[in-house]
Amino acid sequence: MQAVVKYGRQDGNVRVEDVAEPQGISPDQVLLEVQAVGVCGSDIHMWHENQSWQIKLPVVLGHEFCGYVAKVGERVKGFKVGDRVACETAAEVCGQCVYCLSGNYNLCPHRKGYGNLIDGAMTRFAVARPQILHRIPDNVTFEQASLTEPVCVAYNALVEKTIIKPGETVVIQGVGAIGIMALQIAKLRGAGIIIALGTDIDAHRLQVAKQLGATHAINIQHQDPVQFVKASGDGFGADLVVDATGVSKALKQSMDMVRPNGKITKIGWGPQPLDFSLDPLVGKAVTMQGSFSHTYTTWERVLGLLATGQVDLKPVIGGAYPLTEWREAFERMEKGDNIKSVIKI
Ligand SMILES: [Zn+2]
Ligand SMILES: [Zn+2]
């Protein structure tokens, strides 16, 4: 079967290859016939060999996916051939550590994710454990369901990890897919003023942010965001700053924009070391919160939001591309034309 494969350690070492179909499944597994896969910023990092996480090689890319159940292991209950399901990213966890046993398996030290340590879904078939499968509501399309994952990332960060009180001022740094999802979740939480920040490359994405409910969408290359945030509300800054960029400079900025006793929630990854002091966190008594991935309940709740139209994916999905046009799909996202590209299998 054809697959989008990262095969080497050089920039650009991704191509369509023929890979073997999964040879049967164990009694505890489910075989999925993939229908749609969201392209993630991390797939683009891997294309350019600038990922900051562990991967195997070669590896089939793709971890935001959904499809039909094609085969069910004999010990699996609750699923049948033909069911439409979305699949979480934690392909394997140990099931025995304190994090697995307490339901926080996203933090299992033995977690292996699709598309980096386990072959991903930019191909026809993927094998999954039933514990990470979720039924897709009838009125949610495969294209939409393939984006459940990035919504879950935002949901975990802004619902499960951070308290937002109705009326609070929220700044979202970065208007890529995660920033846009975070904006929508902040709105659902009742945020008051929402200020989305982007750069020149984000012209389209800033427009979408506005369309989806940001009260202000600022290009930080043309306008000083710190001044702007301080000038809105009572002048003390934002109650919450969400870093969906991972850039060190954004963290510095977030410390300037957050109000005393405020919160900074960091979703974006960035391998660069910091070259500034974290003293403002201390002086302002700020809570800084990291957030990673999601768990079972996150998925069920987010699918509930998709089914009821409370998260709008229409302006987010820039286009759907066949697998052989993966490069176009990746490039359109990289250039900022698409907030999200979807690969249709
Ligand atoms: Zn992703
Ligand atoms: Zn574990």
Side-chain angles (χ1 to χ4, degrees):
M1 59 186 182
Q2 284 193 314
V4 179
V5 176
K6 175 173 169 66
Y7 61 91
R9 284 285 179 186
Q10 305 291 315
D11 180 7
N13 282 177
V14 168
R15 66 186 171 210
V16 173
E17 278 182 15
D18 229 9
V19 300
E21 283 187 20
Q23 294 303 306
I25 48 168
S26 84
D28 298 310
Q29 290 178 322
V30 173
L31 183 70
L32 301 180
E33 185 167 5
V34 181
Q35 297 298 306
V37 192
V39 177
C40 179
S42 67
D43 297 318
I44 296 173
H45 282 304
M46 288 170 70
W47 175 32
H48 292 310
E49 182 57 26
N50 58 19
Q51 69 281 353
S52 55
W53 51 91
Q54 268 196 315
I55 61 164
K56 73 172 185 101
L57 276 183
V59 63
V60 177
L61 295 182
H63 59 268
E64 304 177 358
F65 69 105
C66 57
Y68 288 111
V69 170
K71 207 185 259 184
V72 182
E74 64 219 35
R75 283 207 293 264
V76 173
K77 295 199 171 60
F79 292 101
K80 60 178 191 315
V81 173
D83 283 349
R84 298 166 77 239
V85 292
C87 184
E88 294 180 36
T89 51
E92 286 181 15
V93 294
C94 78
Q96 297 173 42
C97 72
V98 63
Y99 296 101
C100 284
L101 294 173
S102 58
N104 300 297
Y105 54 86
N106 53 325
L107 302 177
C108 171
H110 307 287
R111 175 188 184 277
K112 289 185 179 175
Y114 285 109
N116 42 74
L117 289 170
I118 300 281
D119 277 329
M122 289 187 187
T123 188
R124 187 151 174 235
F125 291 110
V127 177
R129 53 195 178 96
Q131 291 89 339
I132 57 170
L133 296 180
H134 301 267
R135 238 169 274 284
I136 301 172
D138 289 342
N139 63 340
V140 176
T141 65
F142 279 125
E143 262 176 55
Q144 293 167 334
S146 72
L147 300 194
T148 310
E149 199 269 343
V151 185
C152 287
V153 169
Y155 190 101
N156 183 25
L158 296 193
V159 178
E160 289 159 359
K161 290 283 187 224
T162 311
I163 295 168
I164 300 180
K165 297 194 182 104
E168 284 189 334
T169 296
V170 177
V171 174
I172 313 270
Q173 297 174 297
V175 282
I178 298 295
I180 292 288
M181 307 304 188
L183 159 68
Q184 297 200 62
I185 300 293
K187 201 163 178 278
L188 282 171
R189 295 279 268 157
I193 296 172
I194 305 179
I195 304 167
L197 307 181
T199 58
D200 283 341
I201 199 177
D202 298 315
H204 167 65
R205 294 187 275 229
L206 284 169
Q207 257 176 16
V208 173
K210 213 55 203 287
Q211 187 187 336
L212 290 174
T215 40
H216 310 278
I218 308 272
N219 178 340
I220 62 169
Q221 285 172 302
H222 294 201
Q223 200 170 358
D224 179 0
V226 178
Q227 250 175 22
F228 186 88
V229 170
K230 290 271 173 76
S232 45
D234 61 6
F236 282 103
D239 295 285
L240 169 67
V241 182
V242 180
D243 177 1
T245 71
V247 183
S248 298
K249 210 174 148 205
L251 178 60
K252 183 158 193 323
Q253 226 160 42
S254 66
M255 292 193 300
D256 293 336
M257 291 185 294
V258 73
R259 65 194 287 117
N261 254 347
K263 296 154 282 188
I264 297 172
T265 293
K266 192 162 159 46
I267 318 178
W269 295 77
Q272 320 99 315
L274 309 180
D275 64 350
F276 50 87
S277 163
L278 296 180
D279 279 357
L281 293 183
V282 182
K284 288 179 166 179
V286 165
T287 305
M288 187 154 114
Q289 171 74 56
S291 182
F292 172 65
S293 198
H294 29 66
T295 57
Y296 189 89
T297 42
T298 327
W299 280 69
E300 288 296 310
R301 289 165 185 161
V302 165
L303 284 164
L305 291 176
L306 297 187
T308 49
Q310 294 183 80
V311 170
D312 186 0
L313 295 176
K314 276 201 197 83
V316 176
I317 300 175
Y321 305 81
L323 188 136
T324 47
E325 285 168 31
W326 67 271
R327 185 183 293 272
E328 167 91 0
F330 281 38
E331 279 173 353
R332 292 285 221 133
M333 253 174 80
E334 193 173 33
K335 281 197 235 138
D337 305 342
N338 296 351
I339 292 171
K340 267 287 182 189
S341 298
V342 173
I343 307 274
K344 294 273 271 185
I345 308 293

